[in-house]
Amino acid sequence: MGLADVEHFEDLSKDHVETGETVDYEQFPPVGGEHYSFWQNCGVYDEPVLTEAAVHSLEHGAVWITHDPSLDAAEIERLAAYHEPGSYVLVSPMEGLPSPIVASAWGARIQLDDASDARIGAFLREYEQSPDAPEPGAPCSGAYGDTESDFDPETVDARMN
């Protein structure tokens, strides 16, 4: 698709890393690469999520919409509306983004300035459950539903395995 301004990345690792290990991603926010053996449940989060689990969600065909935490509440609400029950959409704040909003899928991302940009919907139509994801259709629920601040590797390992 000729969606303007989408960046593409190839040769992303699909390897799992030890739970609790921090991955140093080449892209920020990441669009794929090494990740935990469990995924982040798709949904809308008020706090940052576990990056290495969210990357696993991307592997399953999710689109991860990250936004600057200081984004206006109406803008955040507009982004949250892209997630519907059963969708493969993850929305969360993230510090230090290269633009106020970044939508990421496995191997692709687009940087945006505001939530009313029509390219967000176009990006979702193109990349949510894309056959270009390594495991489209694998679950995006039933795994990790907490935030980064709630993360305890030992508890998660016991719960996920």
Side-chain angles (χ1 to χ4, degrees):
M1 174 183 182
L3 184 60
D5 303 320
V6 173
E7 300 170 86
H8 296 277
F9 305 89
E10 296 181 1
D11 301 321
L12 301 165
S13 172
K14 297 183 275 295
D15 294 341
H16 289 171
V17 296
E18 220 34 59
T19 300
E21 184 177 327
T22 301
V23 176
D24 184 20
Y25 292 101
E26 288 186 35
Q27 303 84 28
F28 181 78
V31 297
E34 295 179 334
H35 52 272
Y36 292 156
S37 60
F38 57 90
W39 55 92
Q40 183 77 40
N41 291 342
C42 286
V44 178
Y45 296 85
D46 295 333
E47 294 181 32
V49 297
L50 203 50
T51 300
E52 291 81 2
V55 169
H56 195 152
S57 300
L58 297 179
E59 184 182 41
H60 289 188
V63 171
W64 185 13
I65 301 172
T66 51
H67 61 81
D68 187 293
S70 65
L71 198 64
D72 181 74
E75 292 271 292
I76 294 170
E77 200 170 301
R78 182 177 234 141
L79 295 175
Y82 285 108
H83 176 268
E84 297 174 359
S87 69
Y88 279 66
V89 177
L90 181 60
V91 180
S92 69
M94 182 178 266
E95 294 281 350
L97 292 172
S99 64
I101 301 164
V102 180
S104 304
W106 190 270
R109 78 168 173 206
I110 188 166
Q111 298 181 38
L112 306 156
D113 291 325
D114 70 71
S116 61
D117 193 316
R119 292 176 296 168
I120 298 173
F123 188 88
L124 283 164
R125 286 188 295 280
E126 180 70 16
Y127 294 102
E128 184 181 2
Q129 285 295 282
S130 166
D132 295 333
E135 299 176 6
C140 199
S141 61
Y144 190 72
D146 293 330
T147 63
E148 184 179 66
S149 64
D150 298 321
F151 181 57
D152 176 354
E154 292 176 23
T155 315
V156 169
D157 263 351
R159 209 171 61 196
M160 298 294 149
N161 294 322

